[in-house]
Amino acid sequence: MGALVGQVSAAMFALTLVLVYFTWGEIYSLFPSTAGDYFGSKHATSNYAVLYTAKGVASIIGGWVGALLYEQSGSWAMGFYGSAVMALIAAGMAVGLRAARAPSRAAVGVPATAK
């Protein structure tokens, strides 16, 4: 949407960019708990380190790939549409992961909470 709005108005592009960034950061606060829930708490810090390293590598490679796509196509649209497709795939994976049965607490060595 931002790519289409950006062709109409720079102010609207900035507004849509701000809206995207307002919904972007909270996902990083969910990574540690999600990794612990699905992979167990025994190696939670190691698993989170892998996730955080992937974020760093993506930040380096993403800029290079975005610039390459711009050079090849002459427009940023291909990068935006590619990002949109990857976001939809990630959303589908998240829905599938949520629908999948999480491992039981006993199987991952997490003590049950007292009632």
Side-chain angles (χ1 to χ4, degrees):
M1 178 175 173
L4 296 175
V5 173
Q7 295 174 1
V8 175
S9 165
M12 288 301 291
F13 177 75
L15 177 66
T16 57
L17 190 64
V18 167
L19 292 174
V20 166
Y21 281 110
F22 271 127
T23 61
W24 201 298
E26 76 279 354
I27 191 70
Y28 295 115
S29 66
L30 300 176
F31 280 169
S33 60
T34 303
D37 286 348
Y38 280 91
F39 302 114
S41 62
K42 183 176 181 183
H43 301 290
T45 54
S46 305
N47 292 336
Y48 183 63
V50 171
L51 290 171
Y52 203 73
T53 301
K55 174 188 163 191
V57 170
S59 71
I60 295 168
I61 294 174
W64 179 78
V65 170
L68 183 66
L69 287 172
Y70 177 78
E71 287 178 354
Q72 296 293 324
S73 67
S75 170
W76 289 106
M78 186 66 113
F80 283 118
Y81 292 132
S83 295
V85 168
M86 288 188 289
L88 288 173
I89 291 170
M93 291 171 64
V95 168
L97 201 81
R98 184 176 177 156
R101 182 175 168 89
S104 68
R105 290 184 177 268
V108 294
V110 177
T113 58
K115 292 184 181 182

